[in-house]
Amino acid sequence: MALSFPSLPKLSGRTVAVLAAAGALAVGAVAAGASKDQPAASPSMDAPAAAPPQAAPAADTNSARTAAAAAALPQCRSAMLVPVNRSWGIPMPSVYGSASTYCNLMYGDDPHRGSTVFGDPDTAIRILQRNLNFCYGTKLAVDGVYGSNTRAVVKTVQRRHKLVADGIYGPKTRSAMNWRLYSMATRSWSKGCSSPL
């Protein structure tokens, strides 16, 4: 009689990497605790049993993932006009010295994050603040500082577009939110906002 086993779900590359890291940590901990000269300690009857490890709350896990993802992206330190069609473009935060808008802005960007002093994050933040004011009717001070008010408005926009409300402006928020368009040919702004990305 042949045994049949249920098929296992396919794991994503990220899941495999997390499992591999956890396995490596466990092997390292066992290797560090074991020594050729000393036998492994056995639990005594008097010592209380260690409590089983508890899983981290989902909110903590999500915020840790969000923080890790934000740290992996560069800070928006410039602004550029991203073409939508022949006549219209969107002014938006971008990476300094690049045509990429795959960057982020977060609470405390005033004006540079980390040790990098190149670029102009003040302009990137002002572009975002002006757009939030026009397209979402907010009344942010256009001051070039990603403070608590800017973060709160970004969270509101993220909730409105059904994104994780972490208050970090990044690629997902950029692609979901509405933008005011600008025409270089006529040097005029659109009367409304849209999400053409």
Side-chain angles (χ1 to χ4, degrees), residues 36-191:
K36 291 181 182 177
D37 299 344
Q38 298 176 349
S42 60
S44 72
M45 298 301 276
D46 297 334
Q54 296 180 352
D60 290 346
T61 305
N62 286 340
S63 60
R65 278 190 215 143
T66 301
L73 286 176
Q75 179 188 14
C76 299
R77 293 192 175 106
S78 187
M80 64 179 289
L81 187 68
V82 177
V84 174
N85 56 35
R86 286 181 162 187
S87 51
W88 294 98
I90 305 171
M92 65 175 44
S94 65
V95 176
Y96 176 72
S98 168
S100 174
T101 58
Y102 202 75
C103 56
N104 68 20
L105 292 166
M106 64 177 76
Y107 180 68
D109 283 351
D110 174 24
H112 294 278
R113 186 190 314 155
S115 60
T116 304
V117 295
F118 298 107
D120 189 11
D122 176 72
T123 298
I125 295 167
R126 285 176 193 266
I127 290 281
L128 176 64
Q129 289 170 330
R130 282 189 190 102
N131 190 74
L132 291 170
N133 285 345
F134 185 82
C135 293
Y136 292 94
T138 60
K139 296 184 181 354
L140 288 171
V142 181
D143 57 5
V145 177
Y146 204 101
S148 57
N149 291 339
T150 303
R151 178 177 60 177
V153 169
V154 170
K155 282 184 178 182
T156 302
V157 169
Q158 289 169 329
R159 280 191 287 272
R160 180 175 175 180
H161 292 288
K162 296 179 178 37
L163 298 173
V164 174
D166 57 9
I168 299 171
Y169 166 83
K172 287 182 181 177
T173 304
R174 175 208 63 207
S175 297
M177 66 187 282
N178 296 323
W179 293 91
R180 188 176 190 192
L181 305 177
Y182 181 76
S183 172
M184 285 294 289
T186 61
R187 299 196 182 278
S188 62
W189 290 93
S190 64
K191 295 192 188 308

